[in-house]
Amino acid sequence: MGGHSNWPEWIYIGVVVALMVWVGAEAWEAERLVEHVPEGAETIIVTGQQWFWTFEHEDGTKEIGELHVEVGKAYKLEIVSKDVNHSFNIHDYVVLMDAIPGRVNTVWFAPTDAGEHDIQCREYCGLIHYNMRGKLIVEDPTA
């Protein structure tokens, strides 16, 4: 009665465990890259309010509706809301983070090319939500 071999099951279990370890390691590495803000990143406070965005740089410079940044620098965005839930989105740089009243959410990005990019609220925040837009202007300091 002892003629049954279990080795195919053990191989199957080994392959599944190896795949789970590999997927877990890849997910951990991706999360580490997203969560790790580069040293020297400039902090910009992004405030959402019905129905526009304001930006405050570390040096106190404030902008409304337009965010000016430089190519090659890293920026840490601290995203807050004064009133209702918003969602800050720079589609071209895959930046998407909720702005929740009473909470500071952070995200970072480093623009690579000069140009203009759209900023849009991605959370329905009221009657004029569709017009809650902004402009990211990436400037090349050497040009």
Side-chain angles (χ1 to χ4, degrees), residues 19-91:
L19 284 172
M20 290 174 65
V21 168
W22 178 72
V23 169
E26 290 292 319
W28 180 80
E29 178 65 12
E31 183 176 347
R32 189 188 67 78
L33 289 172
V34 169
E35 298 286 326
H36 176 75
V37 179
E39 293 219 10
E42 180 185 333
T43 300
I44 299 172
I45 299 171
V46 178
T47 304
Q49 51 202 308
Q50 291 179 319
W51 289 273
F52 59 98
W53 297 103
T54 58
F55 308 96
E56 183 174 349
H57 294 262
E58 283 181 349
D59 64 1
T61 303
K62 294 181 180 178
E63 300 179 280
I64 298 173
E66 285 188 354
L67 174 60
H68 291 80
V69 296
E70 293 180 0
V71 170
K73 287 182 67 176
Y75 295 91
K76 175 185 171 188
L77 305 176
E78 293 183 351
I79 301 171
V80 298
S81 173
K82 283 190 172 179
D83 42 36
V84 298
N85 292 357
H86 301 278
S87 188
F88 182 78
N89 179 230
I90 306 171
H91 178 77

